[in-house]
C-alpha cells in the first residue's frame, strides 16, 4: 500500500493492492488531489466497468443548505453511472439515497430500541484492512490478513 497526507494530517491519497485468498487481485485508489480529476467512482472488471462522473447530489445539497436530504433523494439523470463494455455504454439509474433512514436507525440503536444498521463485525473487518494498508505503507512490506 501507499498512503499519504498531502493536504494536512488526514490521509487523502492512497493506493492498496490486495490479493484475495481466491487469487483475485483488487487495486484500490482514492485521492483528494489530482491535476486532472477523473470520474468520482470507477469500478473495473475483466468484462466491463461502472463509471460515475459526478458527486452525489446529496453532498451539494448538504453544503448549500447545511442539511442532509430528506426522503429518498433521487439523483438527476446526468449524475447516473454508466456500465461500459468496450465501445458500448449503458446508463444505469441510481438508487435514491436514504440517509434519512440510516441516521435515525443509528439513534434507535444507541437508545437500545433497534439493532445497529451496520454489523459491527463488518466495520471491524474494514478497519483491519485499513490498518494493514497503513502498516504496509509505513514499513514498505506486504501485510497478510
Amino acid at each position: 500500500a501507499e498512503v499519504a497526507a498531502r493536504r494536512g494530517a488526514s490521509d487523502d491519497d492512497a493506493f492498496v493492492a490486495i490479493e484475495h485468498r481466491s487469487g483475485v487481485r483488487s487495486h484500490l485508489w482514492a485521492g483528494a488531489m489530482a491535476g486532472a480529476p477523473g470520474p468520482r467512482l470507477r469500478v473495473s472488471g475483466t468484462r466491463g466497468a461502472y463509471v460515475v462522473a459526478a458527486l452525489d447530489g446529496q453532498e451539494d445539497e448538504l453544503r448549500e443548505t447545511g442539511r442532509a436530504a430528506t426522503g429518498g433523494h433521487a439523483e438527476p439523470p446526468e449524475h447516473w453511472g454508466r456500465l461500459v463494455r468496450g465501445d458500448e455504454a449503458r446508463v444505469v439509474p441510481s438508487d435514491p439515497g436514504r440517509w434519512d433512514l440510516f441516521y435515525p436507525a443509528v439513534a434507535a440503536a444507541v437508545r437500545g430500541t433497534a439493532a445497529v444498521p451496520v454489523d459491527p463485525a463488518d466495520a471491524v473487518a474494514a478497519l483491519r484492512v485499513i490498518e494493514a494498508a497503513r502498516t504496509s505503507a509505513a514499513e514498505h512490506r506486504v501485510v497478510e490478513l
Side-chain angles (χ1 to χ4, degrees):
E2 300 170 17
V3 179
R6 303 207 185 277
R7 298 182 304 169
S10 298
D11 297 338
D12 58 9
D13 189 25
F15 172 78
V16 180
I18 300 173
E19 184 171 347
H20 304 272
R21 287 187 186 123
S22 66
V24 170
R25 291 183 178 161
S26 298
H27 291 172
L28 310 171
W29 176 75
M33 298 179 62
R40 176 71 169 175
L41 171 71
R42 180 181 183 99
V43 179
S44 298
T46 56
R47 298 186 325 209
Y50 178 71
V51 182
V52 179
L55 293 170
D56 181 334
Q58 292 179 106
E59 294 179 38
D60 290 337
E61 186 172 339
L62 181 59
R63 271 192 289 279
E64 290 171 13
T65 67
R67 305 198 284 170
T70 57
H73 179 83
E75 288 295 313
E78 61 270 17
H79 287 198
W80 292 353
R82 294 177 297 122
L83 180 60
V84 182
R85 291 187 175 120
D87 293 336
E88 177 189 327
R90 178 173 59 92
V91 174
V92 179
S94 299
D95 285 339
R98 295 307 315 239
W99 297 108
D100 60 314
L101 299 178
F102 177 76
Y103 290 110
V106 170
V110 169
R111 286 191 298 270
T113 59
V116 292
V118 175
D119 185 337
D122 291 339
V124 170
L127 289 171
R128 283 192 183 112
V129 173
I130 291 168
E131 289 304 317
R134 286 190 169 141
T135 299
S136 174
E139 299 178 6
H140 305 284
R141 67 181 181 88
V142 172
V143 175
E144 290 191 32
L145 294 178

